[in-house]
Amino acid sequence: MLDALSKVLRLDDLNRRYLYQLAGEPRRSSSAVGGTNPILPWLDVFLPAPAYVMTWPQDLVAWNQAFVRLFADPSRLEPQRRNMLWILLTTPSLQTRIVDWQTEALDAVARFQAARSLDIDNPRYREIVDDLLPSSDVFAAQWERHDVHRFVSHVQTFTMDNHSRIAMQVSQFRAPDLPEQVLIAYRPIDEESRRALAALLT
């Protein structure tokens, strides 16, 4: 009944989660037909720009090589820390590389908080919180504020060690048959940024 109501109301995944929460019903995880992931083949399409797939708690499912070069290599992290929030808040180089890192970090925490409020029974959120509270002062301070944000497409700018500048539009995509995951993709907004990204991959 809830599935049918969600379709009639054309609810997106966050609102669908909220409907299930109001009804006191756990939200069933969905998977792609045949066990394939329809998002993953798109990651390399965005090269030389970064792209990655994550769950609502921001655990990384897959990423392309540009993500490794610009952010971090998740494969070098312990599995439970292959999480975008963890990478953003605890990777020292990103704090100087991302222009206005503080704003980006606070927004990421607020989006994590929003996702958790609609998936309150998922223990993964608590694991991430317990790991980040003693590891990030920014997370600890922001977590107590209980701010919630939805994802909004925006421009994110990086300043590299060689003083090159990379400015990219950040967008979020979802496959209708895999609502538990999202694709975050970056698009360079000018030729200077595209050249700097290409140089990272050489």
Side-chain angles (χ1 to χ4, degrees):
M1 183 186 72
L2 293 175
D3 282 340
L5 183 59
S6 296
K7 291 177 182 177
V8 169
L9 296 176
R10 297 181 180 178
L11 299 180
D12 63 18
D13 195 58
L14 284 177
N15 285 302
R16 197 154 49 236
R17 287 169 178 265
Y18 187 55
L19 175 65
Y20 273 76
Q21 183 178 328
L22 290 176
E25 292 289 336
R27 178 74 197 281
R28 295 192 303 271
S29 296
S30 54
S31 57
V33 176
T36 60
N37 188 318
I39 303 178
L40 300 189
W42 290 94
L43 287 175
D44 286 345
V45 171
F46 295 95
L47 290 171
Y52 59 93
V53 176
M54 69 177 184
T55 63
W56 288 110
Q58 301 190 33
D59 285 326
L60 290 165
V61 175
W63 51 89
N64 65 12
Q65 188 60 27
F67 176 89
V68 172
R69 297 294 180 87
L70 194 59
F71 288 91
D73 186 352
S75 67
R76 295 179 177 272
L77 298 173
E78 298 173 53
Q80 70 272 19
R81 288 181 171 172
R82 293 173 188 168
N83 178 277
M84 193 57 200
L85 195 58
W86 174 268
I87 289 173
L88 181 62
L89 294 174
T90 67
T91 305
S93 62
L94 291 180
Q95 298 181 27
T96 56
R97 179 175 288 181
I98 298 177
V99 175
D100 203 6
W101 172 86
Q102 182 89 2
T103 297
E104 295 283 350
L106 297 184
D107 183 66
V109 176
R111 284 187 280 111
F112 177 85
Q113 186 83 271
R116 178 181 175 272
S117 71
L118 299 176
D119 197 13
I120 200 70
D121 294 325
N122 186 342
R124 178 58 183 146
Y125 291 93
R126 187 72 254 170
E127 294 171 1
I128 296 168
V129 171
D130 289 345
D131 202 15
L132 277 170
L133 281 175
S135 303
S136 169
D137 292 339
V138 170
F139 180 83
Q142 183 68 2
W143 187 249
E144 294 303 318
R145 293 172 56 89
H146 302 286
D147 290 342
V148 294
H149 294 174
R150 292 179 64 87
F151 179 89
V152 176
S153 183
H154 61 285
V155 173
Q156 191 173 99
T157 304
F158 294 72
T159 301
M160 309 305 293
D161 294 341
N162 63 0
H163 305 296
S164 62
R165 169 191 147 279
I166 301 174
M168 297 176 292
Q169 181 79 25
V170 190
S171 300
Q172 175 178 286
F173 303 93
R174 287 178 290 166
D177 51 349
L178 201 64
E180 304 297 325
Q181 297 179 11
V182 294
L183 167 65
I184 305 296
Y186 293 71
R187 180 184 63 84
I189 65 173
D190 53 35
E191 189 57 33
E192 176 189 357
S193 298
R194 179 171 290 279
R195 286 197 303 267
L197 283 168
L200 285 177
L201 298 178
T202 57

